[in-house]
Amino acid sequence: MVTELGEGEGAVDIVAWPGYIERGQTDPAFDWVSAFEAETGCKVTVKTAGTSDEMVALMNEGGFDLVTASGDASLRLIAGKRVQEINTGLIPSFEKVDPRLQEAPWHFVDGKHYGTPYQWGGNVLAYDTEVFKEAPTSWSVVFEKQDLPDGQSNEQRVQAFDGPIYIADAALYLMAHQPDLGIKDPYELSEEQYAAALDLLRQQRQIVHRYWHDAFVQIDDFTNEGVVASSSWPFQVNLLKSKNEPIASTIPEEGATGWADTTMMHAEAAHPNCAYMWMEHSLTPKVQGDLAAWFGSVPAVPAACENNELLGPDGCKTNGIDSFEQIHFWRTPVAKCASQEACVPYYRWVTDYIAILGGR
């Protein structure tokens, strides 16, 4: 663990979700890189990744200083010793972080901090308002074959997420609709519970238009390919709304999975001083608020919800700050689990989800 900071090394290399680190190239109003580079002399280079598995693979390869990891990647990175313990004493703004996130189980392990919270949000149900005059109340519109309010079938008009962690979405749906299964946590599944989730996903495959992982491809699918409902991120919903597309989002009655992302530092980071400078910069209210406005996420620093011109007075409420308790945040499934004797570990989720995508 770094004990004191020195001069910046002139660079910091980051693996991040698309839209998470902007320098004004997409929209000049959204730039939290240029001022950082001017102030610190640390040039920011970003490699985007569309899934948590891709992030883990990139961090395993090395060559990066930081990663904005979701909970289904962070614990794998910690267990694999790919990230290092963070000295929060070198990050003054850490004390501003939402207390609910400061020691969250996806980055705080054995009394050690392995990163700084960045943003959080839910995997929302995005829907076409011309098809759904009222918000859908259940995820059934993407899981079960049915006619939608416009009288047409949902076959080939809905999407699902292209990642093994989506098995948790199926489990969450079953928690509400098959309570006899006894699922208490969508990331902690017995063999029977897991088999039921896979069966639901095999059924869903018959109606899915595409398994999405590229946010911009999904935006095009809603605009041009006839997709009318899907799990999504607020990022896509906000961009579609900005283009005056008839899109809205909701968290249905079953709740939702979600992500609480952590900026984590590679165990062999080549630019540790610049990395710590970036982590401090990332927690300033201005950056947190601007990012929340751009991505449609909720700041890890509550003070960012106030007096941010881009986010506006109701931005945090719009982005779901009151939905924290409804969200089951992504977490790496492990065999030794808390809710029952044994659970199906993540490597099985990977193998079986690939099989489902392949029609098996």
Side-chain angles (χ1 to χ4, degrees), residues 10-37:
V12 60
D13 298 305
I14 308 174
V15 179
W17 292 104
Y20 250 15
I21 299 179
E22 293 288 312
R23 59 165 68 248
Q25 292 173 313
T26 309
D27 185 328
F30 295 91
D31 179 0
W32 43 94
V33 171
S34 299
F36 170 80
E37 290 178 333

Side-chain angles (χ1 to χ4, degrees), residues 239-307:
L239 278 179
L240 284 161
K241 284 182 175 179
S242 73
K243 297 178 180 180
N244 296 316
E245 295 292 334
I247 301 297
S249 66
T250 186
I251 293 181
E253 58 193 11
E254 299 94 351
T257 59
W259 32 271
D261 295 342
T262 306
T263 304
M264 310 182 85
M265 185 171 165
H266 198 285
E268 300 164 1
H271 311 109
N273 294 320
C274 283
Y276 265 88
M277 292 175 191
W278 176 264
M279 285 189 284
E280 168 62 21
H281 175 70
S282 74
L283 293 178
T284 58
K286 170 68 171 161
V287 171
Q288 285 277 308
D290 288 359
L291 172 55
W294 173 249
F295 199 80
S297 48
V298 182
V301 175
C305 295
E306 303 170 10
N307 302 317

